[in-house]
């Protein structure tokens, strides 16, 4: 077994932030010294910046964020992916039979990242960086990135622990807004919950301030700021936020700006399957923001999403039969090429393996984290924002605005770059919201979005309704077979460790727990 992998080293770091400094690798880790003395100069700020991005994956203690759980939480809770069988790492999220005592948890790691972002923000705002004037543009850029990451984490938190904005226009309980560097392990220090609307207001405030400051780098070529949030990434995230809020005109306007002015381009049909390999020359064309794994000691190792989704890993989660059947209706769709059938078909004695006996030649494994030229699926980067999603955000927003021409324009750009079947292209009469959302499912499967998309659009998730329709699903509780956002387990409970230590949060626990 290889050593576990660590994503602290971003290969673009010195290009994006400085032309001559690599010594941050030798500095004291930014979370190991008190916050009032941790960030006092530009090098400290850079070290803290890398620590903030590293926290988005997680660390050896908190393994519950983008390294794995944020992806499979959004995938297997929907209808397009499932845990392969009981006892998998994704099984609890899939089965949805947890209680307050054993529910999946992302709370602590997300608030830990907020602390890292807030420490950076505080250091800049309180003039703690003594050599800021000599590095003003870079310090301002770090500050804007920290605000963008703070927005991303609050956004993820409120999606997981609060009702969708569209449920009651944000009137229900969201999560505590934290804009100062409190200790996330001290539950009593975390304030009470803000409303969903208040959380979204903070998210939009942070993103718009970061963008309007003009301090974020603006990539002239795709991949210029790989691994860091630049202006295009902040704008792409804002389109997603506005889509969730139902602010469709705002989402459409920003998406249009990205599509027309950014250096990113959609993968073509010929490029699509191989472009997921991060060493492929076309990989960066669509990747507006991804978390970079550039070392051979990434802590996520076999707990990371690549290992969980790969047959040669844990084969933890697979596509559902209903999704595979739906996608296979168009045999020329290149997205079929990133869903693989079982490769190990026979054992050493020549007999069919149990997995092959179950699934045959059906495509089941998501291959968006391929072995490829890397030789190890665990070294893949983690996609957070792609240009394809921006096109789909534009199409969805346009459909909800009844802007048929724009819906056709943006949706067909996706379709024509994914299939040779011209009959799949839409016209103004067929460019419905349902068609947009179907294309979204096809494009973003395995990227942690389906469940959240269904909840914000008030869709019903249907795994199976009777034994004859089970497909590859294993038996789960009746209430988790078919549900919508009124099902109390559609949002997680605040962790019991938090409510036990904080009476304010205890009184604000999500209903049903």
């Amino acid at each position: 077994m290889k050593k576990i992998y660590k994503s602290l080293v971003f290969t673009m770091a010195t290009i994006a932030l400085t032309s001559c400094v690599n010594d941050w690798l030798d500095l004291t880790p930014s979370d190991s010294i008190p916050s009032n003395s941790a960030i006092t100069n530009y090098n400290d700020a850079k070290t803290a910046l890398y620590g903030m991005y590293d926290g988005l994956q997680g660390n050896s203690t908190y393994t519950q964020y983008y390294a794995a759980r944020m992806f499979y939480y959004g995938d297997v809770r929907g209808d397009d992916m499932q845990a392969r069988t009981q006892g998998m790492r994704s099984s609890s999220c899939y089965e949805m039979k947890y209680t307050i005592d054993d529910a999946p948890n992302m709370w602590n790691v997300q608030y830990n990242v907020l602390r890292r972002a807030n420490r950076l923000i505080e250091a800049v705002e309180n003039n703690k960086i003594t050599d800021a004037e000599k590095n003003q543009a870079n310090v301002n850029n770090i500050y804007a990135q920290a605000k963008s990451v703070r927005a991303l984490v609050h956004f993820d938190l409120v999606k997981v622990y609060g009702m969708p904005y569209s449920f009651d226009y944000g009137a229900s309980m969201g999560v505590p807004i934290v804009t100062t560097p409190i200790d996330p392990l001290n539950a009593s220090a975390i304030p009470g919950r803000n409303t969903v609307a208040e959380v979204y207001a903070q998210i939009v405030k942070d993103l718009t301030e970061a963008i309007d400051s003009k301090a974020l780098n603006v990539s002239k070529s795709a991949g210029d700021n790989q691994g860091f949030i630049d202006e295009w990434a902040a704008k792409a995230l804002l389109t997603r936020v506005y889509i969730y809020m139902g602010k469709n005109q705002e989402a459409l306007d920003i998406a249009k700006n990205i599509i027309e002015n950014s250096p990113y381009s959609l993968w073509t049909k010929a490029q699509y399957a191989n472009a997921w390999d991060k060493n492929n020359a076309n990989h960066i064309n669509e990747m507006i923001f991804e978390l970079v794994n550039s070392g051979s000691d990434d802590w996520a190792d076999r707990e990371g999403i690549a290992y969980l989704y790969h047959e040669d890993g844990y084969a933890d989660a697979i596509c559902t039969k209903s999704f595979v059947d739906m996608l296979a209706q168009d045999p020329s769709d290149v997205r079929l090429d990133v869903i693989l059938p079982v490769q190990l078909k026979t054992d050493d004695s020549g007999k069919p393996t149990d997995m092959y006996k179950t699934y045959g030649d059906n495509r089941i494994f998501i291959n968006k984290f391929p072995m490829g030229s890397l030789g190890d699926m665990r070294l893949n980067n983690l996609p957070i924002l792609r240009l394809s999603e921006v096109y789909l955000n534009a199409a969805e927003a346009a459909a909800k605005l009844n802007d048929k021409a724009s819906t056709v324009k943006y949706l067909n750009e996706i379709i024509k770059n994914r299939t040779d079947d011209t009959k799949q292209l839409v016209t103004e009469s067929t460019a419905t919201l349902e068609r947009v959302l179907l294309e979204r499912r096809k494009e973003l499967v395995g990227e942690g979005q389906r469940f959240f998309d269904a909840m914000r659009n008030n869709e019903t998730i249907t795994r199976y309704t009777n034994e004859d329709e089970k497909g590859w699903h294993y038996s789960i509780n009746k209430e988790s077979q078919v549900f919508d956002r009124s099902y109390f387990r559609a949002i997680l409970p605040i962790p019991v460790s938090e409510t036990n230590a904080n009476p304010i949060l205890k009184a604000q626990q999500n209903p049903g727990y």
Side-chain angles (χ1 to χ4, degrees):
M1 289 294 179
K2 292 188 176 183
K3 286 180 65 180
I4 53 179
Y5 293 69
K6 181 77 176 169
S7 66
L8 185 59
V9 182
F10 294 102
T11 56
M12 298 300 294
T14 55
I15 297 173
L17 295 175
T18 181
S19 61
C20 60
V21 179
N22 282 319
D23 57 349
W24 65 271
L25 285 169
D26 301 318
L27 298 178
T28 305
S30 62
D31 264 8
S32 67
I33 47 182
S35 60
N36 62 356
S37 61
I39 304 174
T40 60
N41 57 52
Y42 175 51
N43 279 342
D44 289 342
K46 287 191 298 177
T47 303
L49 180 75
Y50 304 129
M52 177 184 70
Y53 279 108
D54 188 53
L56 287 173
Q57 289 207 65
N59 56 39
S60 58
T61 303
Y62 301 110
T63 59
Q64 303 99 338
Y65 205 3
Y66 277 109
R69 185 165 290 175
M70 197 69 194
F71 282 99
Y72 69 70
Y73 180 94
D75 286 328
V76 304
R77 287 164 66 87
D79 41 10
D80 295 338
M81 292 190 69
Q82 63 174 89
R84 183 169 57 85
T85 188
Q86 291 177 316
M88 300 282 98
R89 284 155 178 78
S90 63
S91 294
S92 177
C93 289
Y94 167 67
E95 295 166 6
M96 298 174 71
K97 63 179 182 181
Y98 42 75
T99 68
I100 189 173
D101 295 309
D102 61 1
N105 180 6
M106 284 183 273
W107 181 280
N108 286 338
V109 66
Q110 289 168 321
Y111 275 104
N112 189 47
V113 180
L114 283 182
R115 178 166 67 104
R116 297 183 186 194
N118 284 329
R119 289 175 58 231
L120 270 169
I121 293 167
E122 181 184 68
V124 176
E125 291 180 343
N126 293 346
N127 299 313
K128 297 292 185 181
I129 302 176
T130 57
D131 55 354
E133 288 187 8
K134 293 188 297 183
N135 303 282
Q136 197 63 63
N138 287 330
V139 169
N140 291 344
N141 179 28
I142 289 173
Y143 177 70
Q145 288 186 68
K147 281 200 167 183
S148 301
V149 169
R150 186 167 74 181
L152 172 62
V153 178
H154 275 121
F155 183 47
D156 290 338
L157 275 162
V158 79
K159 289 190 299 181
V160 171
Y161 292 100
M163 292 296 290
Y165 188 97
S166 58
F167 174 70
D168 55 6
Y169 300 98
S172 54
M173 284 286 98
V175 293
I177 296 172
V178 174
T179 56
T180 57
I182 63 175
D183 185 352
L185 297 182
N186 180 6
S188 62
I190 295 178
R193 299 173 71 176
N194 294 88
T195 66
V196 170
E198 289 169 337
V199 178
Y200 271 89
Q202 180 66 47
I203 294 165
V204 171
K205 179 176 184 291
D206 277 341
L207 285 174
T208 54
E209 286 181 354
I211 294 166
D212 292 346
S213 72
K214 301 300 180 183
L216 289 169
N217 288 331
V218 182
S219 296
K220 298 294 192 294
S221 300
D224 279 354
N225 295 291
Q226 188 180 30
F228 298 94
I229 293 180
D230 69 355
E231 183 173 316
W232 299 120
K235 287 180 176 179
L237 178 57
L238 189 54
T239 68
R240 187 189 291 180
V241 171
Y242 279 145
I243 281 288
Y244 275 64
M245 297 178 73
K247 293 195 171 188
N248 297 307
Q249 190 61 59
E250 292 90 335
L252 179 58
D253 291 344
I254 297 173
K256 181 180 178 181
N257 175 262
I258 297 169
I259 291 166
E260 294 181 355
N261 299 303
S262 80
Y264 298 95
S265 58
L266 291 175
W267 292 328
T268 65
K269 294 188 294 292
Q271 295 169 350
Y272 188 84
N274 293 326
W276 290 98
D277 184 333
K278 75 176 186 181
N279 287 343
N280 185 277
N282 299 306
H283 175 79
I284 59 175
N285 293 355
E286 271 210 25
M287 290 295 179
I288 299 176
F289 175 52
E290 60 182 343
L291 296 177
V292 173
N293 284 328
S294 57
S296 59
D297 60 344
D298 176 7
W299 70 266
D301 194 39
R302 287 173 292 154
E303 300 301 320
I305 193 65
Y307 208 78
L308 268 59
Y309 280 2
H310 205 283
E311 180 185 355
D312 289 338
Y314 284 135
D316 191 293
I318 61 173
C319 293
T320 61
K321 189 175 187 303
S322 60
F323 176 80
V324 172
D325 289 347
M326 178 266 290
L327 190 60
Q329 289 176 14
D330 176 9
S332 68
D333 195 318
V334 295
R335 288 167 295 204
L336 284 166
D337 295 334
V338 294
I339 306 177
L340 302 180
V342 174
Q343 302 298 303
L344 187 62
K345 299 181 179 182
T346 59
D347 59 22
D348 293 340
S349 65
K351 295 179 180 179
T353 61
D354 288 342
M355 199 175 294
Y356 185 66
K357 284 190 287 186
T358 300
Y359 305 109
D361 292 319
N362 289 287
R363 298 174 184 269
I364 58 172
F365 292 112
I366 290 289
N367 195 37
K368 291 184 175 181
F369 306 93
M371 287 280 198
S373 64
L374 302 170
D376 193 321
M377 81 289 283
R378 296 169 291 185
L379 283 172
N380 282 282
N381 296 342
L382 303 173
I384 309 299
L385 294 161
R386 287 200 294 128
L387 185 65
S388 291
E389 183 196 343
V390 175
Y391 271 90
L392 290 163
N393 290 346
E396 181 179 337
K400 290 177 176 177
L401 292 166
N402 201 31
D403 181 350
K404 295 291 187 179
S406 294
T407 307
V408 169
K409 176 182 178 180
Y410 295 118
L411 188 58
N412 276 345
E413 280 299 307
I414 293 288
I415 295 171
K416 74 181 184 181
N417 280 288
R418 300 294 179 260
T419 179
D420 291 323
D421 185 358
T422 57
K423 295 191 297 295
Q424 300 296 325
L425 296 171
V426 298
T427 64
E428 291 196 8
S429 63
T430 60
T432 62
L433 176 60
E434 290 72 24
R435 183 67 176 83
V436 175
L437 297 180
L438 180 63
E439 201 64 33
R440 191 177 184 94
R441 291 172 62 185
K442 294 179 182 180
E443 183 66 29
L444 300 179
V445 65
E447 297 178 60
Q449 297 213 43
R450 170 56 186 160
F451 171 75
F452 297 116
D453 285 342
M455 294 300 99
R456 66 182 174 82
N457 282 305
N458 198 21
E459 296 180 64
T460 296
I461 295 291
T462 301
R463 272 82 173 266
Y464 64 93
T465 57
N466 58 62
E467 291 298 310
D468 294 334
E469 294 179 348
K470 280 181 70 173
W472 301 317
H473 291 285
Y474 61 88
S475 296
I476 55 178
N477 293 344
K478 184 73 173 179
E479 57 188 355
S480 297
Q481 294 170 16
V482 180
F483 65 93
D484 59 24
R485 64 190 187 186
S486 66
Y487 181 29
F488 78 94
R489 289 195 178 96
I491 54 176
L492 289 182
I494 301 173
V496 67
S497 59
E498 305 295 309
T499 57
N500 284 345
N502 189 328
I504 298 175
L505 292 176
K506 187 171 186 177
Q508 297 176 331
Q509 181 60 272
N510 282 324
Y513 293 105

